[in-house]
Amino acid sequence: MADESEEEVREQLKAALWFAVGKMVDEETLRRNRNVTPQFIGALTEMVWAQIENVALDLENFSRHAGRTTINTDDVLLLARRNQDLHAIIKDFVDKQKAAKAKSKSRR
């Protein structure tokens, strides 16, 4: 991947996303006995890709604003601040991870 252009990597990522979205849609359509068109899967994939790009930019900007070059859990929590349920789930997960890490350090 080192010699591939940024555009080639982008296209590979989009193809992988298309595959993953298609697989999820297929599973759901089988479960619900429904049909979807390839155009639907393509449109859904494009929408998910646009959302991923927006999230990535927001996370980078939050990190940069805090004077960091690395995105951390604080940035993710800040991103989820407008969705209380999602924020609570992420916060709970982060707190459990920190507690487990602290517990494993205290055993040493």
Side-chain angles (χ1 to χ4, degrees):
M1 259 216 248
D3 60 345
E4 293 181 30
S5 74
E6 205 170 297
E7 188 60 32
E8 288 172 331
V9 171
R10 181 182 170 91
E11 289 305 313
Q12 287 177 347
L13 289 171
K14 262 188 152 176
L17 180 63
W18 182 298
F19 177 77
V21 168
K23 187 174 178 181
M24 286 185 269
V25 168
D26 285 346
E27 289 170 2
E28 200 60 28
T29 57
L30 287 174
R31 194 171 70 77
R32 294 176 183 258
N33 196 28
R34 301 277 187 228
N35 292 319
V36 298
T37 64
Q39 291 81 8
F40 171 81
I41 294 172
L44 183 58
T45 300
E46 288 299 322
M47 186 178 72
V48 170
W49 183 264
Q51 187 67 25
I52 289 169
E53 288 182 322
N54 288 333
V55 166
L57 285 174
D58 287 347
L59 290 172
E60 287 174 350
N61 288 330
F62 294 154
S63 178
R64 192 175 306 117
H65 180 74
R68 290 181 274 103
T69 57
T70 304
I71 295 169
N72 66 24
T73 54
D74 293 335
D75 303 316
V76 176
L77 287 167
L78 185 59
L79 181 71
R81 73 192 180 283
R82 290 192 178 123
N83 184 331
Q84 292 177 352
D85 294 333
L86 178 61
H87 187 274
I89 291 168
I90 294 171
K91 179 88 170 107
D92 184 50
F93 178 79
V94 168
D95 291 345
K96 285 179 182 176
Q97 293 296 311
K98 286 181 180 178
K101 190 174 183 179
K103 188 176 181 181
S104 69
K105 280 187 177 180
S106 67
R107 288 185 179 173
R108 291 181 188 171

